[in-house]
Amino acid sequence: MLLIKNGRVIDPANNIDNALDIFINQGKIIRVGKNIDPKGISRDSGKFRIIDASGKIIAPGFIDMHTHLREPGQEGKETIATGCRAAAVGGFTALACMPNTNPVNDNKIVTSYIINKALKEGCVRVYPIGAITRGLKGENLSDIGELKTAGVVALSDDGEPVMNAEVMRRALEYVKSFNLTIISHCEDKDLSQSGAMHEGFVSTRLGLPGIPAAAEEVMVARDLILAEMTSSHIHIAHVSTAGSVDLIRRAKAKGIRVTCEVTPHHFTLTDEAVTLFDPNTKVNPPLRSQEDRDALREGLRDGTIDAIATDHAPHDSLAKDIEYTLTANGIVGLETAVSLTLNELVHSNILTINQAIARLSANPARILGLKGGALHEGEDADITVLDLQREFMVKPETFKSKSRNTPFGGWKLNGGPIMTIVAGNIVWEAK
Amino acid sequence: MKLKSKDLLGLEELTSEEISLILAIAQSMKEIFSKKKQVPPSLKGKLIINLFYEPSTRTRTSFEIAGKRLGADIINFDFSASSMSKGETFKDTVLNLHAMKPDIIVIRHSVSGAPQFVANNISASVINAGDGAHEHPTQALLDLFTIKETFGRIERLRVAIIGDISHSRVARSNIWGLTKLGALVKIAGPPTLIPAQIEKMGVEVFYDVDAAIKDVDVIICLRIQTERQNQNLLPSLKEYSRFFGINQERLGKAKPRAMVMHPGPINRGVEITSDVADGKKSLTLKQVANGLAVRMALFYLLAGENQKNVAY
């Protein structure tokens, strides 16, 4: 039994922002209300803890809809257990994991393996995402119905685009029988080629091969047209350019069923971060220009961008302590995402705290059709507690993730999670 | 006087004073050597490692001779492939070299930023001998030296850099160096070989070579790699030569006193015709000779003993 008292409860799905108490028993939210008196609660099941959350914010458990857990196949970089620990420390009560494991999650056996392993070893909820196409090859559809039955919550070939428009068209049509969302990694491989960073003045200065913004935008445009044609829902992963935000904004106005996400590194950093050739700045899509970053922030503010997702992509030293162009793409994000959101967006008045919470909880839940993302009485008690003032120093050496590939080491961030509760259990709390 | 950094990674980081200092010491090196056939061995007992991840004959040899003339021990490490192919990281390789306690590491690498990576992980001085399409500072310094020697100054000279700017580290280093020393720089080539927003480096961009070389004092030709045809950056070398290559007729559009430079190795008949390359207006062999003086000056500035007392 848990009673969280005196906190500011912000639950965007229920339009609540009030000083309220929350009473939790047997993993469920029993009551959300004013001045819940602990004396009035019968202490039937032993342990009873009262948490004084004065000055803190109580939010629905955050959901990271874009994580790479690396298991099965690359357990040296991350495992389901360590990825879940990192998520808990980062304030996430649930995550959706991408299928580019080895073997690829394009069949029910891998899906079941991930679900079972997560139930056994994971301290947060794990929702597998299945592959759109077999082996992420972009050629033949996976057994999508089987995947759904086994428990995937969405489909994506993330890491690889579905280059063939006909394949994408058929995927968007077929998923409608199973009520699944396609998450698209928008990248025209012919345009991105072997690029290592955003194509612009910085890539010119550094002499690194560039990835033009158009490599993303032509695919966003294609996918929007296909979503319109098929009347299917498409979710655009890791939007990184001003042009993409513009295309999505116009598509939404037109009534096309599109949602999208942005990563903390894309709304925080620009291509200038690559100047010293830190391998931890190499990511796909690449860190873009100042104008792009500003457009992402505006997209978050006006609601064009629905969700904040980490694209947590763990890599080991063999993949990162090497020459820049050879370095693997990816940044670990689970343990910095919430603090970056608060520091970069809330404290600089781009988003209200309520909007930030919606983009980390209610919106990803809605996009993926998950329970959670709200504080409903009678439902599972998944809760994230935030302290907006506490200073967080990013110390990669203390990460719970197996990997350390972050460009934010040494950053001081204002605000962050201090407690993560999954099904009524405190899975992490700040010391 | 010394350089501010322990490393020479690029001309972007250098001030015009530092560039002038290097050129002045290179001038002394050249004069002393041409008179006495030797210079004081100010690097005696110092260890220089030439770390070459890309094949190079002239640059590596030039560094080697420069080091030997100053009395240093100089060792060549040639790697054909990246460290990764051996299952270790680039960082591992660098730390292994560090354990051998070199004073200077000269590195050539096909990946931009590799010298910076080495410099971040080692206390020895690092000299960039060319990294990807990023910088080739010693080439630009020897080009600046040669231009100054030929024209007596660099300020207000008009210099055209022609060809594959996108893939050229020589172009980038020369743009930084020339603009810092007050030259007016134009670049020209097909738009497919001009990188994004390069005008922000302070150059004027031309897609028409004839327009670019009108009234210039110096033309720097860049090497065209044959693989650019297969990447659709060029239709063919033949077409490149006709519309963008430097030939006698085109050279006539520059100032009468204009000179032609090339970092080598030249593709005869592609970016430069043989009659121009071998003609009176070509500075290519002077560039090679001056490369030695510039590299000696750098070794001396980064690791030379008794700097105050040496009268370079």
Side-chain angles (χ1 to χ4, degrees):
Chain A
M1 282 194 290
L2 265 179
L3 179 60
I4 308 173
K5 284 195 68 71
N6 309 320
R8 175 181 166 195
V9 173
I10 300 179
D11 180 10
N14 291 312
N15 219 357
I16 290 172
D17 179 357
N18 217 335
L20 295 169
D21 298 345
I22 298 183
F23 175 57
I24 297 161
N25 194 13
Q26 294 187 330
K28 305 283 182 193
I29 295 172
I30 304 299
R31 246 189 85 198
V32 181
K34 276 216 179 296
N35 301 318
I36 299 173
D37 186 357
K39 292 192 190 99
I41 295 165
S42 69
R43 308 193 177 192
D44 48 0
S45 61
K47 273 210 290 191
F48 181 47
R49 181 170 165 192
I50 298 174
I51 296 162
D52 179 12
S54 309
K56 310 291 189 284
I57 285 167
I58 316 298
F62 292 165
I63 300 165
D64 180 24
M65 64 180 297
H66 194 142
T67 301
H68 296 274
L69 283 179
R70 303 294 186 221
E71 184 175 2
Q74 295 190 79
E75 288 85 352
K77 296 184 173 186
E78 196 78 284
T79 64
I80 290 168
T82 58
C84 286
R85 288 300 309 156
V89 171
F92 292 98
T93 59
L95 58 85
C97 57
M98 285 296 173
N100 61 341
T101 47
N102 186 14
V104 170
N105 185 12
D106 60 2
N107 64 80
K108 62 181 180 184
I109 298 168
V110 177
T111 306
S112 304
Y113 173 85
I114 293 168
I115 289 174
N116 290 329
K117 201 92 196 274
L119 285 174
K120 224 165 44 192
E121 298 172 7
C123 60
V124 303
R125 296 180 202 275
V126 173
Y127 298 109
I129 295 169
I132 302 169
T133 64
R134 284 176 212 283
L136 308 173
K137 288 196 168 76
E139 292 163 1
N140 302 108
L141 297 184
S142 309
D143 285 341
I144 288 170
E146 291 272 12
L147 283 167
K148 167 84 179 189
T149 310
V152 304
V153 297
L155 298 169
S156 182
D157 276 4
D158 185 64
E160 294 293 330
V162 176
M163 277 295 286
N164 183 322
E166 160 72 1
V167 174
M168 188 55 116
R169 173 209 171 157
R170 297 305 178 197
L172 283 164
E173 287 174 340
Y174 190 76
V175 293
K176 291 200 281 183
S177 283
F178 302 97
N179 200 23
L180 284 171
T181 290
I182 298 269
I183 301 175
S184 180
H185 168 113
C186 290
E187 174 187 356
D188 184 313
K189 295 281 247 189
D190 296 317
L191 282 172
S192 59
Q193 293 212 5
S194 50
M197 68 174 297
H198 174 62
E199 181 176 309
F201 179 55
V202 183
S203 68
T204 290
R205 241 174 63 212
L206 301 181
L208 284 170
I211 301 172
E216 174 171 310
E217 290 157 4
V218 298
M219 289 298 259
V220 170
R222 181 202 76 173
D223 285 352
L224 292 172
I225 291 165
L226 293 175
E228 182 175 33
M229 170 196 184
T230 57
S231 306
S232 202
H233 173 210
I234 193 149
H235 177 81
I236 310 292
H238 43 54
V239 168
S240 75
T241 78
S244 297
V245 175
D246 185 49
L247 286 164
I248 294 164
R249 184 179 290 123
R250 285 191 279 158
K252 282 187 164 183
K254 209 176 164 191
I256 296 172
R257 296 175 63 207
V258 57
T259 53
C260 68
E261 69 190 33
V262 65
T263 73
H265 46 269
H266 286 112
F267 69 61
T268 303
L269 299 173
T270 68
D271 54 352
E272 283 289 343
V274 183
T275 296
L276 294 177
F277 298 99
D278 174 4
N280 293 324
T281 60
K282 184 152 174 279
V283 65
N284 188 24
L287 301 173
R288 300 288 187 182
S289 69
Q290 178 81 46
E291 298 80 65
D292 292 311
R293 194 198 69 163
D294 293 347
L296 294 173
R297 291 180 170 214
E298 176 55 21
L300 272 165
R301 199 196 55 75
D302 74 8
T304 302
I305 299 176
D306 303 87
I308 294 167
T310 66
D311 197 1
H312 178 81
H315 285 296
D316 55 17
S317 60
L318 197 54
K320 280 291 184 186
D321 283 346
I322 53 177
E323 297 90 327
Y324 198 86
T325 58
L326 308 176
T327 301
N329 291 313
I331 289 173
V332 286
L334 285 168
E335 292 171 77
T336 48
V338 172
S339 287
L340 284 167
T341 301
L342 298 175
N343 194 74
E344 297 293 314
L345 303 177
V346 176
H347 287 306
S348 47
N349 298 318
I350 309 280
L351 295 183
T352 64
I353 180 65
N354 310 59
Q355 290 171 321
I357 288 170
R359 283 151 185 67
L360 284 161
S361 58
N363 295 0
R366 175 174 49 85
I367 293 163
L368 297 177
L370 303 176
K371 291 212 301 184
L375 299 171
H376 295 296
E377 290 177 357
E379 296 289 344
D380 287 330
D382 289 3
I383 290 170
T384 299
V385 184
L386 302 174
D387 183 337
L388 289 188
Q389 303 314 327
R390 192 178 152 119
E391 187 178 272
F392 283 77
M393 173 77 127
V394 181
K395 292 184 193 147
E397 65 279 10
T398 66
F399 279 177
K400 296 295 177 193
S401 167
K402 270 199 176 182
S403 293
R404 307 275 177 265
N405 49 301
T406 175
F408 299 112
W411 281 43
K412 274 185 198 154
L413 300 170
N414 209 359
I418 54 166
M419 185 180 284
T420 309
I421 299 169
V422 178
N425 297 309
I426 299 172
V427 294
W428 173 77
E429 65 181 303
K431 284 189 196 100
Chain B
M1 250 179 98
K2 288 201 82 172
L3 300 177
K4 275 189 231 100
S5 169
K6 76 173 172 77
D7 310 304
L8 178 73
L9 301 178
L11 292 200
E12 185 183 358
E13 292 90 55
L14 293 189
T15 62
S16 57
E17 291 76 24
E18 288 177 300
I19 296 172
S20 299
L21 171 70
I22 297 166
L23 298 183
I25 291 179
Q27 180 62 36
S28 306
M29 289 284 181
K30 187 169 176 174
E31 282 166 15
I32 293 170
F33 191 79
S34 60
K35 270 184 231 148
K36 299 188 185 164
K37 290 287 164 205
Q38 61 176 33
V39 293
S42 60
L43 265 76
K44 198 166 167 44
K46 302 279 180 171
L47 176 61
I48 300 172
I49 296 179
N50 263 342
L51 183 61
F52 276 61
Y53 279 89
E54 233 183 26
S56 153
T57 319
R58 73 193 68 201
T59 304
R60 206 199 64 190
T61 310
S62 178
F63 274 110
E64 206 173 335
I65 297 170
K68 286 188 168 153
R69 281 190 181 168
L70 290 167
D73 299 317
I74 185 157
I75 304 294
N76 293 318
F77 274 103
D78 289 322
F79 293 92
S80 52
S82 128
S83 322
M84 260 201 326
S85 58
K86 297 188 299 260
E88 68 172 18
T89 64
F90 189 40
K91 193 173 176 178
D92 292 330
T93 308
V94 173
L95 295 178
N96 272 278
L97 290 174
H98 180 64
M100 298 175 198
K101 303 212 184 312
D103 297 285
I104 297 179
I105 291 192
V106 177
I107 177 172
R108 154 78 56 103
H109 203 298
S110 60
V111 177
S112 297
Q116 172 94 52
F117 187 98
V118 176
N120 291 347
N121 286 289
I122 202 163
S123 57
S125 290
V126 175
I127 296 178
N128 180 1
D131 63 327
H134 178 222
E135 287 231 35
H136 192 349
T138 60
Q139 177 69 44
L141 287 165
L142 73 88
D143 289 346
L144 293 169
F145 186 94
T146 307
I147 293 170
K148 198 171 176 200
E149 185 179 64
T150 309
F151 293 91
R153 65 183 164 98
I154 287 167
E155 213 177 345
R156 295 187 318 282
L157 286 182
R158 292 166 176 270
V159 182
I161 305 175
I162 312 290
D164 183 357
I165 312 291
S166 283
H167 300 87
S168 176
R169 50 196 176 213
V170 175
R172 285 172 180 74
S173 288
N174 264 312
I175 290 170
W176 292 123
L178 286 163
T179 53
K180 281 174 200 227
L181 296 187
L184 194 118
V185 182
K186 308 182 194 185
I187 60 157
T192 44
L193 296 176
I194 306 283
Q197 300 176 35
I198 190 149
E199 64 283 354
K200 288 192 189 166
M201 284 174 79
V203 299
E204 213 181 331
V205 179
F206 292 81
Y207 301 142
D208 175 352
V209 174
D210 291 324
I213 63 178
K214 190 167 170 284
D215 294 333
V216 297
D217 302 285
V218 180
I219 297 168
I220 299 176
C221 301
L222 302 172
R223 184 177 166 80
I224 291 289
Q225 305 284 347
T226 51
E227 65 256 32
R228 305 296 171 228
Q229 302 173 89
N230 314 327
Q231 299 163 327
N232 276 317
L233 299 173
L234 295 176
S236 69
L237 294 182
K238 188 165 159 250
E239 174 152 320
Y240 180 85
S241 170
R242 176 165 171 206
F243 292 96
F244 303 97
I246 299 301
N247 51 37
Q248 287 295 0
E249 191 198 338
R250 205 158 260 149
L251 187 52
K253 301 193 172 155
K255 282 188 186 160
R257 65 166 187 175
M259 300 297 277
V260 178
M261 298 171 70
H262 192 299
I266 62 170
N267 274 324
R268 288 176 183 269
V270 182
E271 68 268 5
I272 188 167
T273 53
S274 285
D275 52 354
V276 174
D278 303 331
K280 282 189 303 213
K281 291 183 161 293
S282 169
L283 290 172
T284 50
L285 294 177
K286 278 194 176 160
Q287 288 172 270
V288 176
N290 291 336
L292 275 176
V294 161
R295 291 177 177 117
M296 285 164 73
L298 282 170
F299 282 151
Y300 170 73
L301 277 166
L302 293 175
E305 297 287 353
N306 300 320
Q307 295 211 19
K308 274 176 266 172
N309 308 327
V310 180
Y312 287 124

